[in-house]
Amino acid sequence: MSQIPLLSKGDKVAILSPASPPKSSNWINGVQILSDWGLEVIFSPNHMKQHFGLAGTDEERISDLQWALDDPSIKAIFPIRGGYGSSRIIDSLNFNLFADSPKWMVGFSDITALLLHLNKLGFASVHGPMPHNFLQIGGENALINLHKLLFQGTLHIKTPSHSKNRYGEATGQVIGGNLSLIVHLIGTPSFPDLNGKILLLEEVGERLYHVDRMLVQLKRAGLLSKLSGLLIGGFTDCEEASLAIGKTINELILEHTKDYNYPIVFDFPSGHIPDNQPIPMGVNTNLLVSSREVQLTYHS
């Protein structure tokens, strides 16, 4: 993976909307956090546009993201929020100038598509909170850890062990994010190699039989068999439908991974939850799962 410089006070960072527009004004206070960190915040020309459910037309969102990718003075890119639309524009982006001066991209949810594409191209990124949800009650520690990760290059997440965790230790790149987006990208130029990776999965608002179908797709495609570890984040508002599957999220995960012996972590603090911890993607991290606790550690 290409090395990306850590942030320093005075660095320029870009705010844009590559997917859906913000649903409230919460993001404004989130952007203020970046200023409080000593960063110079600049806004893309179309960051507040709206085209039906998207944050502007495809052309407007492409233009904004291409500007942020190309400008060597911009050291990090912060989408305001996810929603939908990132995968619509990936194939129209050019990463040649980005490769000359790579920068951090921070996001989750629909931004998973961009994070996976960057990984496939050989660039690290951060799966973590965006300005729209920087100030959620319960997300204070995640924001502190995001600052440490971007400015100091360190991360140490420690959580209590879940009764259904599978114990063990793994070292490797974390990759993944939103389950729907991961499955959506299978077979495209944006899908990374999962062999030896620690896969992160999270989801929101999907019926349990939909989750089961996506897990079946991952398994049938051979994408669960050669992992070094599995992190199961929040599966928020994922409930039974009239077509019931009769199993919980945890039971579905255990069913589809029963033939593999890598460590598995349930209720990992990531996803559409307040405590959405920042996870460096595409860099080596250490995962330790014991009967007492879970530790995910990274040092640049």
Side-chain angles (χ1 to χ4, degrees), residues 26-128:
N26 292 344
W27 69 275
I28 297 173
N29 292 329
V31 168
Q32 182 60 46
I33 295 293
L34 299 176
S35 296
D36 293 344
W37 287 354
L39 299 169
E40 180 182 349
V41 178
I42 54 179
F43 299 88
S44 69
N46 301 299
H47 72 284
M48 286 301 292
K49 289 288 184 69
Q50 185 164 356
H51 180 72
F52 298 98
L54 302 176
T57 63
D58 286 353
E59 291 73 21
E60 289 170 331
R61 291 178 293 113
I62 291 166
S63 175
D64 280 9
L65 188 48
Q66 193 67 65
W67 158 76
L69 292 170
D70 289 351
D71 188 337
S73 71
I74 294 173
K75 304 303 181 184
I77 300 172
F78 290 89
I80 292 175
R81 64 165 295 222
Y84 172 70
S86 297
S87 62
R88 289 181 58 88
I89 65 176
I90 288 178
D91 292 334
S92 297
L93 297 169
N94 186 300
F95 290 84
N96 290 340
L97 292 179
F98 175 89
D100 294 333
S101 55
K103 61 208 70 181
W104 295 106
M105 182 175 294
V106 182
F108 75 109
S109 193
D110 191 71
I111 308 304
T112 296
L114 296 172
L115 304 185
L116 294 187
H117 190 78
L118 287 172
N119 185 276
K120 183 64 178 290
L121 294 176
F123 300 104
S125 61
V126 177
H127 182 280

Side-chain angles (χ1 to χ4, degrees), residues 175-195:
I175 190 64
N178 183 260
L179 175 60
S180 295
L181 269 295
I182 293 170
V183 172
H184 166 60
L185 293 177
I186 292 174
T188 73
S190 301
F191 196 81
D193 181 5
L194 297 187
N195 289 349

Side-chain angles (χ1 to χ4, degrees), residues 246-283:
K247 296 182 180 180
T248 67
I249 292 293
N250 293 353
E251 289 169 342
L252 290 172
I253 296 292
L254 290 172
E255 175 187 358
H256 294 302
T257 59
K258 62 182 174 61
D259 295 329
Y260 318 127
N261 59 9
Y262 44 72
I264 299 177
V265 178
F266 292 97
D267 288 350
F268 191 78
S270 180
H272 291 76
I273 56 176
D275 189 21
N276 181 21
Q277 290 288 331
I279 311 296
M281 296 285 188
V283 296

